[in-house]
Amino acid sequence: MRKALITGITGQDGSYLAEHLLGLGYEVHGLVRRVALEQPDQRLGRLTHLGERVVLHAGSLESYPSLFQVLSRCQIDECYHLAAQSFVAESFADGFSTMNTNSNGTHYLLAALRELQPGCRFYFAGSSEMFGKVRETPQVETTPFHPRSPYGISKVAGYYLTLNYREAYQMFCVNGMLFNHESPRRGFEFVTRKITHNVARIKFGLASELRLGNLEARRDWGHAADYVRAMHLMLQHSEPDDFVIASGETHSVREFCELAFAEAGLDYLDFVKEDPTFYRPAEVDLLVGNAAKAKRVLGWQPAYSFRELVSQMVAHDLELAQRGAMAEMFL
Ligand code: G4F
């Protein structure tokens, strides 16, 4: 039985990936912060349905010795490094801890793997935020980087660390260059979930408006369940390589709002207010990827369209609101 370790297993992608790997017959291990084990109700919600089928290890990306200990305990074939401070806006508020967790954390993990399990295949969760102020459209694997946030910079550092371990130590290290991917499990701070969550709140009379930042920013949004399949395929390839994973479509935040409110029979113009509080000091205006290489080399194909993604997210949040299970998050 193949064994995989997922860092960031409690997040959106981690939970979908754990499900996918279990379905393929893997033994799945997850690295989580100790506080998550102490507060399972608040922090392990996305894994509840998997019960005892995943083995969780307490560890911290900020500590090389803790990663060393976890890797000493479990011999793994594949390591999916998804854990990160992943909210771009927060990286402007605290760039130092974002850089520390995302860049040093990746380095500690690679160094520990090199020491203990150099034959383990390693996946790094790179991001389309690395392209930032884009130099060409659509973006592909060879598009030059121009990150626009400490988050983007931390991911560029992680990308080059991963490449360097591949080239310097002949380890099987790959970079996934994933464009935005969403789902009903998305965190409430990201714009798609903020929108669908508030569509439901407004529909059920729990809110009367939705304040957003830049409505003209354009993103290439896919479904997280499709994107985790690509992560697995990358580690099954004969050679370590880097791959863009994207839908190939770009839509503005405004278009997302229009569609999401319409799903609930509402007109977004009646509720959405643009609020400069949510503007970023430097914005990424346009992202759209070309995943032709992943389709050709890995045989990857997404199953969800943009419309299906929006529709599923709105339906999920309407259902939560109807059951009175809507989280009263501060957004
Ligand atoms: O949903 P977002 O916060 O995602 P962002 O910044 O594109 O980053 C996400 O995707 C990356 C992949 O490209 C990941 F690497 C990263 O970890 C994360 O998952 O914002 C999307 C866009 C931005 O242009 C933002 O300025 O929506 C705009 N926006 C407008 N109003 C807002 C809001 N974003 C948020 N979070 N909240 C708003 O009120």
Side-chain angles (χ1 to χ4, degrees), residues 86-88 127-129 151 178-180 186 189-192 194 211-215 217 219 221 253 278 280 283-284 287:
S86 63
F87 186 33
V88 173
S127 163
S128 51
E129 283 292 305
Y151 170 81
L178 269 54
F179 284 63
N180 297 50
R186 191 55 149 148
E189 65 274 38
F190 299 96
V191 77
T192 56
K194 182 174 172 183
R211 304 191 85 82
L212 293 172
N214 180 7
L215 297 179
R219 289 290 182 276
W221 280 296
V253 173
F278 296 105
R280 293 175 181 176
E283 177 64 285
V284 171
L287 289 174

Side-chain angles (χ1 to χ4, degrees), residues 43-253:
R43 296 177 188 260
L44 298 180
R46 293 185 182 95
L47 298 177
T48 312
H49 63 296
L50 299 179
E52 307 281 297
R53 297 173 68 207
V54 290
V55 185
L56 300 180
H57 303 265
S60 164
L61 277 182
E62 274 129 53
S63 153
Y64 178 81
S66 94
L67 296 175
F68 193 92
Q69 270 176 22
V70 171
L71 289 174
S72 306
R73 279 203 303 270
C74 62
Q75 200 66 33
I76 49 169
D77 302 294
E78 297 172 12
C79 177
Y80 295 87
H81 179 36
L82 314 184
Q85 191 304 95
S86 63
F87 186 33
V88 173
E90 170 60 21
S91 82
F92 286 107
D94 186 357
F96 295 93
S97 62
T98 300
M99 291 294 293
N100 193 32
T101 306
N102 297 5
S103 307
N104 287 343
T106 303
H107 200 178
Y108 293 148
L109 185 55
L110 280 164
L113 277 172
R114 180 185 167 219
E115 189 67 25
L116 295 168
Q117 307 189 35
C120 173
R121 295 188 168 203
F122 178 82
Y123 171 87
F124 174 65
S127 163
S128 51
E129 283 292 305
M130 301 187 299
F131 300 121
K133 193 174 168 62
V134 297
R135 309 271 185 88
E136 62 180 346
T137 296
Q139 294 84 54
V140 292
E141 288 78 5
T142 51
T143 300
F145 297 144
H146 187 149
R148 296 271 280 171
S149 62
Y151 170 81
I153 295 164
S154 73
K155 287 289 175 178
V156 170
Y159 170 95
Y160 280 116
L161 284 162
T162 302
L163 184 60
N164 188 243
Y165 271 68
R166 183 200 303 166
E167 292 175 352
Y169 309 117
Q170 292 74 51
M171 287 170 63
F172 194 109
C173 298
V174 311
N175 284 297
M177 304 160 93
L178 269 54
F179 284 63
N180 297 50
H181 43 287
E182 320 292 313
S183 75
R185 297 184 197 170
R186 191 55 149 148
F188 293 93
E189 65 274 38
F190 299 96
V191 77
T192 56
R193 189 74 195 280
K194 182 174 172 183
I195 295 167
T196 61
H197 170 73
N198 278 287
V199 164
R201 295 179 76 220
I202 290 168
K203 184 75 180 173
F204 283 85
L206 300 168
S208 54
E209 65 171 24
L210 167 58
R211 304 191 85 82
L212 293 172
N214 180 7
L215 297 179
E216 311 314 327
R218 301 186 73 84
R219 289 290 182 276
D220 177 329
W221 280 296
H223 196 296
D226 282 335
Y227 287 33
V228 300
R229 286 191 290 105
M231 298 175 187
H232 174 255
L233 288 171
M234 285 180 219
L235 291 199
Q236 312 317 306
H237 188 45
S238 52
E239 300 292 328
D241 203 347
D242 307 321
F243 295 93
V244 159
I245 301 298
S247 77
E249 285 180 29
T250 187
H251 298 274
S252 65
V253 173

